[in-house]
Amino acid sequence: MAAVGSVDVELLVIQWLQARLGSGIVVRDELDNSLLNELPTVQVERIAAGGDDGFRLDHALVDVDVYAANRGAAVALALQIRGLLLTQLPGSTTGGAVVGRVQTVAAPGARPYENTGLRRVGATYQIYSHPVS
């Protein structure tokens, strides 16, 4: 049996979202210098918080930031992602993991970004998962 913490939740969410959002949207963990040429972009990062049950269940906190050319597009994509995460990810088996529950910790909202050529909207989710046994 795989140990608690063995699921890469960040990679799981990136691959899962990319499959649902399609090739017109970039989903990644890190941004690079070509961000303005790759809009819309979704950045997924597990943050250093959350926990586990000491046995199998991981409670990951995951930030999801949407970068788009304008605020309306960023908000619309962030809301679409929220709907997908809350309604389709729970109960799924993907990337070697079973996702048991997803909840919103911080709903999508505007987040500052230094480049005025794009807009950033982000949210934070708690994702409960464990390795497939």
Side-chain angles (χ1 to χ4, degrees):
M1 174 178 8
V4 66
S6 63
V7 174
D8 184 342
V9 173
E10 191 174 280
L11 180 61
L12 178 151
V13 173
I14 289 169
Q15 292 175 342
W16 189 87
L17 279 176
Q18 189 67 75
R20 278 143 192 84
L21 297 175
S23 61
I25 297 171
V26 177
V27 184
R28 59 168 41 144
D29 56 354
E30 295 182 354
L31 302 178
D32 60 25
N33 292 332
S34 60
L35 178 60
L36 281 174
N37 299 321
E38 298 177 333
L39 298 177
T41 290
V42 177
Q43 182 184 24
V44 177
E45 291 184 294
R46 180 175 184 161
I47 56 179
D52 57 67
D53 68 355
F55 177 63
R56 292 195 61 192
L57 191 62
D58 189 21
H59 313 164
L61 286 177
V62 178
D63 257 350
V64 178
D65 286 317
V66 173
Y67 298 84
N70 60 63
R71 186 174 177 149
V75 167
L77 183 53
L79 293 175
Q80 178 186 359
I81 290 168
R82 184 180 188 193
L84 290 169
L85 290 175
L86 294 176
T87 64
Q88 294 183 26
L89 185 56
S92 65
T93 301
T94 183
V98 176
V99 178
R101 178 176 164 196
V102 177
Q103 70 183 71
T104 305
V105 175
R111 292 183 174 173
Y113 197 69
E114 300 81 29
N115 188 330
T116 58
L118 54 83
R119 296 294 177 262
R120 175 182 174 206
V121 172
T124 304
Y125 302 93
Q126 186 162 29
I127 299 174
Y128 295 74
S129 66
H130 64 81
V132 173
S133 19

